[in-house]
Structure formats: structure tokens, C-alpha cells
Amino acid sequence: QDSRGVQQDSRNMKLAGHVGFDSLPDQLVNKSLQNGFCFNIMCIGETGIGKSTLCDSLFNTEFDSNPESHKEPEVKLKAHSYELQESNVNLLLTLVDTVGYGDQINKEDSFNSIVNYIDNQFEAYLQEELKIKRNLNTYHDTRIHVCLYFITPNGHGLKSIDLVCMKKLEQKVNIIPVIAKADTINKNELTKFKAKIMNELKSNGVSIYQFPTDDETVAEVNKEMNNCLPFAVVGSRETVKVGNKHVRARQYPWGVVQVENENHCDFKHLREMLIRTNMEDLRNQTQLKHYELYRKERLKQMGFSETDANGTSSFTETYTLRRESILKSLQTREEEMRQKFVIRVKEKEAELKDAERELHSRFDKLKASVAEERRLVEEQRRTLEEEIAEFQRRKSQYENEKMNSGHNTLTLGKLGKKK
């Protein structure tokens, strides 16, 4: 039975003649050539470790890149997309660089911006996928297909930031560790360094991308290349004449390191595995493993589950239940907000009434105070009027007494002359 409960029964049938569906692979190839392909690479490593140079060497071109400083306050991710063509095959290549990675004093949050960037690309694809009207064939897929993690060639093993970062990314992206600037270590030290790195990854439970061995056509070479991880690489933008031809190489006073010479470094193995053999598997792993894991978790957060109560998957029922739950939650929140609003209004009314009573009380006190001041002023006015009246009375009395005294003196003078 299939997922819908329909009984399925298939039989092997013989064809009486040529039908033509054997051209399906050719149709698929033609359609793919018409639509083109996309491939997205993220390079993680310290500033100046050779990320841009290696990308130039991988695709045998020179991409736009500017030297970055070691003074970035935080890790910034810069994505650049390029349209490449080779033998009528179109490739939309996106290179994502982690500017300032590992340059901060406090490196605890160095990987957070990287994890957020990868999740944001998954989220953008999910939102496009969930649209009613969608067009994934023309959508620019920016999901990271592979992460080249550049390891500093110190010969002492992985740093703590390397282990923590790769552990955070192992469930989100295909990680291929590479030892940068491998020409700074001799072969014996490099062999020990590779073994130490793989032991540290295994002991810390860090999973990296393993080249698939289920395809018989590439199983042998992929199995051999899995034993070569991490790849020790050298990149160069310069060409040096070796013999009768010019090759990408690095010129030193003691000799020439050829980028594509298997005896000098693993660059050729990396390019073979990354581009020529396993590019499609990296794209499939991103879609079927990492993106599906992210999609599953996000749909769970949205309220969807793999099966309903009867044990069968039902997107419509899940959507209906989720919608009813959200509406019920909104109604509950609305009622809570209404009750809070009523309580708040009552509290505000009580506050206003208290303020009004306080204002009336203050007004009554001011009124009483004004009345008391008016009474005192009236008393003072009456007292002043009484004092003025008493002053006028005494003044009149004084003037009368003075006039009487002058009249008596005049009378005595006349009586003395008559004698």
C-alpha cells in the first residue's frame, strides 16, 4: 500500500516494440542544461589564510576579492555570485566568505553569525516552498552546499574554535576540512598533522562530509579520498613556467610548488572530489539531509506533525487544528487584554477621583485660608480706623485746648491794662 492506503501491485511486462521512454535520461540532461545549475560554497578560516586564492585556483579564474583587515569587531559574511560556463553547461556559483573569523579577542560568538546565515538561507527557501504560487525552478537557491573549513597549518592540531564551530555546523552543512598553506609543512609532519586532526574530530564527535561509496563507478576513488582527509592544499594566482608549459605555482628561492602536482599537495584531489565527482551528491545531501532536518524542525515549531491521531499524515487537518488553536489563543489574549483594559480604566478612574478629592480638599483649605486672611485684614483695618479716629479726636482736643489757652492769656492782658 502507498501513503494513501491504495493497494499497489506491479508486474514485469514485455514490450512488443520500441516505445521511447529510454530517452528520459536524455530529456533530463537537456532540461538540466537549459535550466543550468547552482552551487554554493562557504569558506571559513582566519583572515589571510588563502580562502580567495584557493577559490580562484579551483575554478581557474580570478574572482572579485579585496584584502581584509584583522580589525573587524565581529564576523561578517559576504556572498558573491558569478555566472560560469564550460562546454555549454551554465553554473551559477556563489562564494560566501567569513570576514573577520577568529580575529576577535573573545571568540565565543564567532560561529553564531555563520550558523544564522545558513539558517537564514534555509528559511528563505522554506518560505518560497510554502507559498501558494511558487516557482522553485527559477528561484535562486542560496543554501550552502559545501563548507570548506580552512585549518591553520600550525602542526599542533585543531584549535578550540575549530572544534566548536564544526560541531555547530555538522548538522547544517557538508563540511570538508582543508589544511591551508600546506607548503609550510614537510611531508612527515603533514602526515602526522592529518592523523592528529582526524583523531581529534573523532574523539570530539564531529562529523564531516564523507564521499559516497554506494555508487560503484566512483566507490573506489571516493573510498581512497576519504582516507586522504583533510586535504592539504596550496593555492596560487600566479603561473610559473615549468618545462615547456605554464602552470599555477608558488615560486620560492628553494624551488617551485606546483598547485596541481599530486606530489606537492592535495589540491588536485580536492578539485576532483568537490567539482568533478561529487558536486551533485553535495547538492543532494544539502536537500535531502540538512534542509529536510531544518524543515522538519521548523514545521514542528509551526504546529505540524508527521502523523495525526489516526497515524496518517494530514496536512489539511493539521492546518485546521493549528488555525483553530491560534484563533482560540487570539480570543483568549483578546479577552485578557479587554479585562486588563477594564481594570486599567477603573484604576485610572480611581486615581482621577482621588486626585479630584485632593484638589477639592486643597481648594477648601485655600478658601479657608483666604477667609482667615480676610478676617485678619478686616480686624487690622478696624483697628487702624479706630486709631485714626482716636488720633483725630486727640488732635482736635489738643487744638481746642491750645485755643482756649491763648484766649485766657489775651483776657488777662486786657484786665491788667484797665487797672
Side-chain angles (χ1 to χ4, degrees), residues 92-138:
L92 179 58
L93 176 68
T94 300
L95 301 177
V96 182
D97 189 13
T98 53
V99 179
Y101 178 78
D103 290 340
Q104 295 75 30
I105 296 176
N106 184 3
K107 298 179 174 59
E108 292 182 358
D109 298 331
S110 295
F111 52 83
N112 285 339
S113 57
I114 300 174
V115 173
N116 292 337
Y117 180 87
I118 296 174
D119 286 344
N120 290 338
Q121 310 318 306
F122 282 152
E123 182 66 23
Y125 191 87
L126 177 62
Q127 293 302 322
E128 180 67 23
E129 195 177 55
L130 293 176
K131 286 181 179 179
I132 296 176
K133 186 178 180 180
R134 61 184 183 174
N135 194 353
L136 294 177
N137 290 329
T138 59

Side-chain angles (χ1 to χ4, degrees), residues 278-333:
N278 298 300
M279 179 182 283
E280 185 59 25
D281 184 72
L282 288 166
R283 286 158 44 89
N284 288 336
Q285 285 291 317
T286 300
Q287 171 67 33
L288 302 178
K289 179 182 177 181
H290 302 298
Y291 173 69
E292 284 299 322
L293 180 61
Y294 176 85
R295 180 177 177 273
K296 179 181 177 181
E297 295 300 323
R298 284 289 289 122
L299 290 179
K300 282 184 178 180
Q301 293 175 7
M302 295 178 185
F304 299 102
S305 58
E306 296 182 10
T307 57
D308 59 14
N310 297 325
T312 59
S313 177
S314 174
F315 187 88
T316 305
E317 291 182 9
T318 303
Y319 169 77
T320 303
L321 292 174
R322 180 64 175 170
R323 184 174 181 273
E324 292 176 355
S325 175
I326 291 175
L327 289 176
K328 186 176 180 181
S329 175
L330 289 175
Q331 290 174 357
T332 303
R333 290 181 62 186

Side-chain angles (χ1 to χ4, degrees), residues 138-190:
T138 59
Y139 175 76
H140 181 196
D141 185 5
T142 57
R143 295 173 298 176
I144 302 301
H145 298 123
V146 63
C147 168
L148 297 179
Y149 195 94
F150 288 72
I151 300 170
T152 305
N154 53 25
H156 302 298
L158 295 171
K159 300 178 182 178
S160 298
I161 187 175
D162 298 330
L163 292 170
V164 173
C165 185
M166 283 192 274
K167 188 66 178 176
K168 292 287 184 180
L169 298 177
E170 63 178 0
Q171 297 298 324
K172 297 179 180 295
V173 68
N174 302 308
I175 301 175
I176 298 179
V178 296
I179 300 173
K181 298 182 178 180
D183 52 341
T184 60
I185 310 178
N186 62 47
K187 286 191 175 182
N188 293 332
E189 292 177 347
L190 187 58

Side-chain angles (χ1 to χ4, degrees), residues 359-390:
L359 286 174
H360 281 300
S361 176
R362 291 176 62 187
F363 178 74
D364 293 339
K365 289 180 180 179
L366 288 173
K367 188 176 180 180
S369 176
V370 170
E372 180 65 20
E373 290 182 359
R374 182 177 294 175
R375 185 184 63 79
L376 293 175
V377 169
E378 286 294 328
E379 289 182 358
Q380 292 177 358
R381 187 179 63 79
R382 285 195 298 270
T383 302
L384 183 59
E385 289 177 350
E386 291 175 357
E387 289 179 354
I388 291 173
E390 178 64 22

Side-chain angles (χ1 to χ4, degrees), residues 211-228:
F211 303 115
T213 56
D214 51 354
D215 186 354
E216 294 181 358
T217 58
V218 294
E220 192 66 29
V221 65
N222 278 352
K223 184 178 180 181
E224 182 182 351
M225 289 300 102
N226 281 330
N227 296 327
C228 289

